[in-house]
């Protein structure tokens, strides 16, 4: 069964940290574009951090650059998102998603339309408040 399962969300105070995990199964996600997205209430879903094909490159949205780090485990079946110095505006549902068939760089992955990411996890909630 092809699936992505996120975990690690929670509630933290501003300045705190969280590490999200996305366990992939049934497919070699690491060969293609996969990464993290988020959606806050009333806002469109946006890309947060994307890993390009074979994990060769990484791209982040400007608002998280320097604070968030995306990585894979050695088996390349789990995707992580280390989030430091969290801000209230980071509050959102975070999703892991993959774009099968797109073996391109992280920059090119980030330029893909959202509909190109056809495999999604169920999401994990991140809430940042004092």
């Amino acid at each position: 069964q092809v699936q992505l399962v996120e975990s690690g969300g929670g509630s933290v105070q501003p300045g705190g940290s969280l590490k999200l995990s996305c366990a992939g199964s049934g497919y070699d996600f690491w060969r293609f574009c996969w990464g993290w997205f988020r959606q806050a209430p009333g806002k469109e879903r946006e890309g947060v951090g994307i890993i390009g094909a074979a994990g060769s490159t990484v791209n982040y949205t400007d608002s998280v650059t320097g604070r968030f780090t995306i990585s894979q485990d050695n088996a390349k079946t789990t995707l992580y998102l280390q989030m430091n110095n969290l801000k209230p505006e980071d509050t959102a549902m975070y999703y892991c998603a993959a774009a099968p068939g797109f073996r391109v760089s992280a920059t090119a992955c980030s330029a893909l339309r959202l509909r190109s990411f056809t495999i999604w996890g169920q999401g994990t909630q991140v809430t940042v408040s004092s």
Side-chain angles (χ1 to χ4, degrees):
Q1 182 180 1
V2 177
Q3 64 177 357
L4 296 169
V5 180
E6 303 96 334
S7 62
S11 296
V12 295
Q13 293 186 340
S17 297
L18 282 173
K19 186 173 185 178
L20 306 183
S21 299
C22 170
S25 60
Y27 196 76
D28 288 338
F29 295 103
W30 64 274
R31 296 184 182 276
F32 308 99
C33 302
W34 68 326
W36 289 95
F37 296 76
R38 67 186 180 186
Q39 187 167 19
K43 295 188 176 182
E44 294 186 352
R45 192 169 296 189
E46 64 171 349
V48 175
I50 302 291
I51 284 189
S56 59
T57 55
V58 179
N59 195 50
Y60 300 97
T61 191
D62 289 345
S63 63
V64 307
T65 298
R67 300 188 297 121
F68 290 12
T69 303
I70 193 170
S71 62
Q72 298 179 132
D73 68 339
N74 288 336
K76 298 179 180 178
T77 59
T78 302
L79 192 67
Y80 301 103
L81 183 68
Q82 177 67 49
M83 305 185 293
N84 298 328
N85 191 22
L86 282 160
K87 303 176 180 181
E89 52 263 42
D90 294 318
T91 295
M93 184 71 79
Y94 283 70
Y95 299 90
C96 177
F102 288 91
R103 296 190 182 193
V104 294
S105 70
T107 300
C109 291
S110 296
L112 293 174
R113 294 180 184 272
L114 210 58
R115 64 174 181 240
S116 297
F117 291 83
T118 55
I119 302 174
W120 291 82
Q122 81 289 352
T124 185
Q125 178 68 38
V126 172
T127 302
V128 185
S129 71
S130 55

